[in-house]
């Protein structure tokens, strides 16, 4: 710590070095950007404080028109768990018109599919959209996933197509840009081979798919272009009527609802351990139980409304859960610490999430790890941020 005399004869205290870096590491990203501009020494301190910074993924909520031109609203909201606040995100550019309604998949992917092309975005603020030719098979409700360099589209096939389980893969680094047909989805998914009935999670190497109701599960390996049957996601004595999966770091996470649609009694979360050597042997480790008060918040004010399924957004050390039907309940978040879920919190949706949408608009929910470089890129793309009143 360095002391300097000021004009009043007193002492002005200058904080620098490890102390400044330690202090800055506790600040939210938006505050770090302000500190970054104070001086060259603070600029360096911000840079080194990022090594201590624990990544806490943001939850994003977008509004989009339901009909052509499918314009995404110029204002979105995001929840930053480090500041425990909603942030309004505005763009000064003209809102983008998409080829069709956009959808979210496996937490971080947004995509829009039309007969002419498939558009998708995987960056933190979804500023960059890539456009490729539409898959050869016509689909209306497919699974879409990005695993490494591979864009995968499976199921959701129109009735008049020959193969209802068709799977196509696009190598994003290939020069020809062609879609490749792969092994079709397993026939035990006959009644549910579409995104409506399936939950999807991706690791760096594979795509995992489970039927929300039964827990019937399989994985797809883009390297071998093939599927592997896995045991059903039905842990022990628990009777689940719906489940949703996601990846938190390198761990496959499952959230399951216990009870029935009219009277859900609990939501439990497990880490699902899949062995590469013995894929037919799964281990379930309970990592957390949602508090009853949070379950009530997920259901919303009208607790008589059935809770048919939940949506799980899991990235890094954060898990976000909400009613998949978006019936007005709150979003619940929890942090993973030491392999267990802790620090449960509710994020009142109020006007900050789907109740903010107007007639003719739909809501898209996604989750992203937001780093300092992502924030600087957002500023360069003319996004502005302000703490929401919600």
């Amino acid at each position: 710590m360095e002391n300097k005399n000021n004009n009043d004869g007193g002492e002005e205290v200058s904080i620098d070095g490890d102390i400044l870096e330690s202090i800055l590491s506790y600040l939210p990203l938006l505050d770090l950007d302000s500190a970054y501009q104070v001086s060259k020494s603070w600029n360096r301190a911000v840079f080194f404080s990022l090594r201590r910074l624990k990544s806490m993924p943001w939850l994003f909520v977008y509004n989009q028109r339901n009909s052509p031109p499918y314009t995404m609203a110029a204002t979105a909201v995001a929840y930053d768990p480090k500041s425990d606040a909603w942030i309004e995100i505005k763009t000064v550019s003209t809102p983008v018109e998409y080829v069709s309604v956009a959808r979210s998949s496996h937490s971080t992917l947004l995509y829009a599919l039309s007969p002419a092309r498939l558009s998708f975005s995987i960056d933190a603020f979804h500023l960059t959209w890539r456009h490729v030719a539409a898959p050869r098979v016509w689909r209306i409700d497919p699974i879409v996933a990005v695993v490494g360099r591979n864009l995968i589209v499976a199921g959701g096939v129109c009735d008049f197509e020959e193969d209802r389980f068709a799977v196509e893969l696009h190598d994003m680094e290939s020069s020809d840009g062609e879609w490749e047909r792969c092994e079709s989805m397993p026939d035990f998914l006959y009644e549910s081979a579409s995104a409506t009935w399936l939950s999807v999670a991706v690791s760096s190497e594979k795509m995992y798919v489970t039927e929300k109701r039964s827990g019937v599960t399989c994985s797809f390996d883009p390297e071998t272009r093939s599927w592997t049957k896995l045991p059903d996601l039905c842990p022990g004595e628990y009777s689940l009527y719906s489940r949703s999966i996601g990846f938190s770091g390198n761990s496959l996470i499952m959230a399951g609802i216990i009870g029935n649609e009219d009277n859900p009694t609990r939501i439990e979360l497990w880490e699902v351990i899949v062995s590469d050597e013995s894929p037919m042997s799964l281990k379930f480790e309970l990592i957390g139980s949602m508090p009853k008060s949070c379950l009530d918040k997920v259901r919303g004010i009208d607790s008589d409304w059935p809770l048919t399924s939940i949506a799980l957004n899991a990235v890094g050390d954060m898990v976000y859960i909400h009613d998949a039907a978006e019936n007005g309940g709150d979003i619940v978040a929890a942090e993973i610490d030491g392999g267990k879920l802790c620090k449960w919190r509710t994020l009142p949706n109020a006007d900050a999430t789907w109740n903010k949408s107007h007639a003719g608009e739909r809501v898209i929910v996604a989750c992203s790890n937001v780093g300092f470089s992502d924030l600087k890129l957002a500023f360069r793309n003319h996004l502005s941020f302000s703490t929401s009143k919600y």
Side-chain angles (χ1 to χ4, degrees), residues 130-148:
R130 295 183 60 175
H131 309 284
V132 298
R136 297 173 181 175
V137 178
W138 192 357
R139 308 165 189 269
I140 54 175
D141 187 27
I143 298 165
V144 180
V146 171
V147 181

Side-chain angles (χ1 to χ4, degrees), residues 102-121:
R103 304 175 187 271
S104 62
S105 178
H106 62 78
S107 300
T108 56
L109 171 69
L110 294 186
Y111 70 92
L113 176 63
S114 77
R117 69 182 186 185
L118 191 156
S119 304
F120 64 99
S121 176

